[in-house]
Amino acid sequence: MLKELTDRMYESMGVSAKVLAFGKKTEAGLADRFQEIDRVAEYNQLKVIKGMQDARVSAECFNYVSGYGYNDFGRDTLEEVYANIFHTEAALVRPQITCGTHALALALSANLRPGDELLSISGKPYDTLEEVIGIRPSRGSLAEYGITYRQVELTPEGEFDLEAIREAVGKQTKVVAIQRSKGYLTRPTLSVEKIGKAIAFVKALRPDLICMVDNCYGEFVEVLEPSDVGADMVVGSLIKNPGGGLAPIGGYIAGTRECIENCAVRLTSPGLGKEVGASLGVMKDFFQGLFLAPTVVSGALKGAVFAANIYEALGFAVIPNGTESRHDIIQAVEFGDPKGVIAFCEGIQAAAPVDSYVTPEPWAMPGYDSDVIMAAGAFVQGSSIELSADGPIKPPYAVYFQGGLTWDHARFGILKSLQKLADAGMVTL
Ligand SMILES: *Cc1c(COP(=O)(O)O)cnc(C)c1O
């Protein structure tokens, strides 16, 4: 009875019986994977609750604070909670950090000085960081301040190239950057275990090097975070995993007291540091989003695994593949044809609770070097912990799919994407 009702609902929302049957068959084979994801979420939920209990979170934490924000109790408590969860000495978690790129730019510019060198050991960083670093000449880049940059590529297998790292570390090297997630590349995402080994190698070369991990999209996917395996700073966006879909803005940096103090004086002003920066009423959403984040991430992960298995079965290259373990919430599907990228994104858009009636189109985006198509009907504009897909319109014409505040929504979005591809004649079921 319920089953027929649900099937009819899918049909009324534009998912054909064929597409639905294909989805059901795929889902039936994923019970073990889903159970494993639930177990990680169980652990992380406890970790978050413990972090809040240990910091004695109370209703006063959610009060509205404006002005300078001296003694902003909620803000200071939230930063303690982040430090508890990431097992770091300190954290900076603020609505004044506008997004992930800003958090990363802050972490770098705060801890590098003219004449220092930044070394990326996980290859090319995320697109928007090219302008931060000055890989693409840009106003205000680190390069303009006399900070040099080098990168060591991952091996073709996606491993850290330890010998090349040893050679690249020089007298000027000050910060070593590692990007956990693949971002807009089709390399594998790095596990926390691998990151830990690379950090240990770097620290053996020079214990004073600062290891910073771009943790975007990785939070709560595993039970350990890079800060548990030696990272001096982990950096991310609250419009992704740790915001749990509720944070309306924000970024975080968790790390050593020294690094975080550098970030604080850079964010506000020398002499002021963490003492100022009013939380402007967002604290309830920051706390509650963090509380929900392990569950939200588990739903997004199920969606990613589901999508991988659907599109792999249809013969497309998917990264990660249908069976490998997950270290972030991004799923890449290579269509080899812009038409596939566009149809996929149209399906995700059509499944959204917000703006489902609009048709996404490829467009030039600030910070990106090709047109990008983005599908998102989000409660928080541009949020990519909500069900979303982006595809730069350049070879290999891959779409990067992520998020979903609930697994049921992620499933629906993927079925709609499959429907659009079937309608466009790109797949035969
Ligand atoms: C999203 C992302 C960023 C940038 O975060 P924004 O909030 O989009 O500015 C940086 N690095 C990685 C790996 C990302 O996925």
Side-chain angles (χ1 to χ4, degrees):
M1 175 66 187
L2 176 59
K3 184 185 163 301
E4 273 103 68
L5 269 179
T6 309
D7 289 0
R8 232 181 299 139
M9 187 64 116
Y10 273 118
E11 198 189 337
S12 76
M13 294 176 80
V15 176
S16 70
K18 253 189 182 164
V19 165
L20 186 57
F22 194 83
K24 281 186 178 168
K25 198 177 86 195
T26 305
E27 187 180 341
L30 297 174
D32 289 350
R33 295 297 301 282
F34 284 12
Q35 196 175 52
E36 195 185 306
I37 290 169
D38 287 337
R39 291 221 177 96
V40 172
E42 180 182 3
Y43 177 87
N44 282 330
Q45 181 71 82
L46 293 173
K47 180 166 75 173
V48 168
I49 293 172
K50 184 166 193 307
M52 292 193 179
Q53 291 180 346
D54 289 351
R56 300 174 63 86
V57 172
S58 66
E60 282 73 58
C61 292
F62 313 140
N63 287 348
Y64 184 97
V65 177
S66 64
Y68 290 98
Y70 295 128
N71 305 313
D72 187 329
F73 177 67
R75 177 200 66 203
D76 294 346
T77 305
L78 181 72
E79 289 179 341
E80 191 182 331
V81 170
Y82 266 73
N84 289 347
I85 291 170
F86 285 98
H87 305 120
T88 55
E89 291 172 356
L92 194 63
V93 189
R94 307 266 167 146
Q96 286 83 12
I97 304 176
T98 54
C99 61
T101 304
H102 186 188
L104 287 156
L106 175 61
L108 292 172
S109 58
N111 285 286
L112 288 156
R113 295 289 179 274
D116 288 344
E117 187 154 273
L118 167 65
L119 174 66
S120 165
I121 61 168
S122 50
K124 186 183 106 55
Y126 192 74
D127 283 27
T128 58
L129 286 187
E130 292 184 10
E131 287 181 87
V132 170
I133 296 166
I135 300 171
R136 275 186 283 144
S138 191
R139 188 195 301 269
S141 69
L142 295 175
E144 279 196 349
Y145 287 88
I147 294 158
T148 56
Y149 171 74
R150 266 197 206 215
Q151 81 187 33
V152 173
E153 302 302 326
L154 295 169
T155 65
E157 295 75 38
E159 305 284 338
F160 288 103
D161 188 339
L162 300 182
E163 275 323 299
I165 293 169
R166 187 201 307 278
E167 275 168 31
V169 169
K171 270 208 291 292
Q172 262 77 48
T173 313
K174 171 84 170 294
V175 173
V176 170
I178 298 169
Q179 183 179 307
R180 179 174 177 183
S181 167
K182 70 178 83 57
Y184 276 160
L185 296 173
T186 48
R187 68 154 166 93
T189 285
L190 298 162
S191 69
V192 171
E193 190 189 355
K194 272 189 196 170
I195 290 171
K197 286 184 179 152
I199 291 173
F201 181 83
V202 165
K203 295 278 184 181
L205 292 175
R206 282 254 314 271
D208 60 316
L209 289 172
I210 297 169
C211 292
M212 182 200 80
V213 177
D214 176 350
N215 208 25
C216 283
Y217 286 131
E219 298 92 350
F220 303 124
V221 172
E222 301 183 49
V223 297
L224 292 180
E225 298 292 339
S227 44
D228 292 313
V229 295
D232 299 291
M233 283 190 285
V234 287
V235 185
S237 166
L238 300 198
I239 312 171
K240 295 180 180 170
N241 304 17
L246 293 188
I249 191 169
Y252 77 90
I253 306 169
T256 64
R257 193 162 287 114
E258 182 70 15
C259 286
I260 297 303
E261 202 47 48
N262 283 338
C263 294
V265 298
R266 180 73 194 215
L267 175 65
T268 64
S269 159
L272 299 182
K274 288 179 103 175
E275 302 297 317
V276 299
S279 56
L280 299 174
V282 298
M283 280 300 127
K284 188 271 215 177
D285 286 341
F286 277 19
F287 277 101
Q288 195 174 3
L290 179 63
F291 171 75
L292 292 174
T295 310
V296 169
V297 168
S298 73
L301 274 173
K302 288 176 186 174
V305 170
F306 183 61
N309 281 276
I310 293 250
Y311 286 102
E312 192 171 59
L314 292 168
F316 296 102
V318 295
I319 302 164
N321 71 32
T323 51
E324 74 189 77
S325 69
R326 299 272 150 172
H327 309 293
D328 69 9
I329 63 166
I330 302 182
Q331 181 61 49
V333 183
E334 282 184 22
F335 290 108
D337 180 340
K339 256 191 3 207
V341 174
I342 292 167
F344 185 98
C345 289
E346 284 175 358
I348 296 299
Q349 188 74 41
V354 182
D355 293 336
S356 61
Y357 53 87
V358 306
T359 307
E361 280 177 31
W363 211 257
M365 296 279 302
Y368 297 91
D369 67 358
S370 70
D371 281 3
V372 182
I373 182 167
M374 297 195 165
F379 296 100
V380 172
Q381 189 201 20
S383 167
S384 50
I385 185 62
E386 298 187 50
L387 191 68
S388 51
D390 344 0
I393 302 297
K394 61 181 178 185
Y397 301 105
V399 75
Y400 298 82
F401 157 85
Q402 68 270 313
L405 296 183
T406 69
W407 154 230
D408 290 316
H409 180 212
R411 182 205 287 111
F412 177 51
I414 294 151
L415 294 176
K416 286 290 276 185
S417 76
L418 182 56
Q419 186 71 57
K420 291 278 183 190
L421 279 144
D423 294 348
M426 294 269 315
V427 299
T428 320
L429 300 176

